Amino acid sequence: MTEQSTAVTAVTAVTAAIEAELRLLDPEVRRDAEAVGELLHEEFFEFGSSGTVWDRPSIIAALAASGLDNGAPIVASRMRGVQLADDLVQLTFDSENNGRHAHRSSLWRHTPEGWRLWFHQATPFTPEN
């Protein structure tokens, strides 16, 4: 593989992970258990901004009940990504939802079904004035 084709592959992988991450931030997708399930890896887990540790079944159930975001849009900013391996992309970004801010990191793994969220961590922060 040439250096140029490797760079194109990395851009494609990062773009696919960003598109999937943005889908997960959409309130309509978050309330649809099937849609969320299609985006989460079977081994998914998360360290939430609340301190809760989520696994795949618990986060799907909580999101379907809209208990985490009350349907309010989540605004993402400063999103960027890097391909760590052929099948692994890390995204980092900040989010704002109902006045709550968090630094976020996601690891997306490529599977035969496509890119799936394998790990997510959110750390709350207070923006400077």
Side-chain angles (χ1 to χ4, degrees):
M1 196 176 248
T2 68
E3 187 175 317
Q4 184 177 12
S5 65
T6 301
V8 169
T9 301
V11 169
T12 302
V14 169
T15 299
I18 288 172
E19 289 172 357
E21 186 80 54
L22 292 174
R23 284 197 62 214
L24 274 175
L25 295 177
D26 181 327
E28 288 191 30
V29 171
R30 293 168 73 82
R31 286 189 294 270
D32 182 340
E34 186 175 330
V36 171
E38 290 174 1
L39 292 167
L40 298 183
H41 192 279
E42 291 298 318
E43 298 172 359
F44 170 83
F45 71 103
E46 173 179 342
F47 297 131
S49 61
S50 65
T52 303
V53 178
W54 302 93
D55 62 10
R56 188 174 188 274
S58 65
I59 198 71
I60 290 172
L63 290 174
S66 296
L68 295 180
D69 62 20
N70 297 320
I74 298 171
V75 178
S77 62
R78 300 181 340 128
M79 189 175 290
R80 58 184 175 259
V82 61
Q83 187 169 9
L84 302 174
D86 288 345
D87 67 342
L88 188 64
V89 169
Q90 180 185 30
L91 300 180
T92 57
F93 61 101
D94 291 338
S95 67
E96 187 277 327
N97 178 250
N98 286 329
R100 296 183 319 257
H101 297 263
H103 298 300
R104 297 184 175 270
S105 179
S106 295
L107 292 176
W108 288 84
R109 296 202 74 158
H110 192 263
T111 70
E113 295 78 30
W115 289 94
R116 300 294 184 257
L117 183 59
W118 183 59
F119 172 78
H120 184 79
Q121 180 168 353
T123 304
F125 75 96
T126 303
E128 296 178 350
N129 294 334

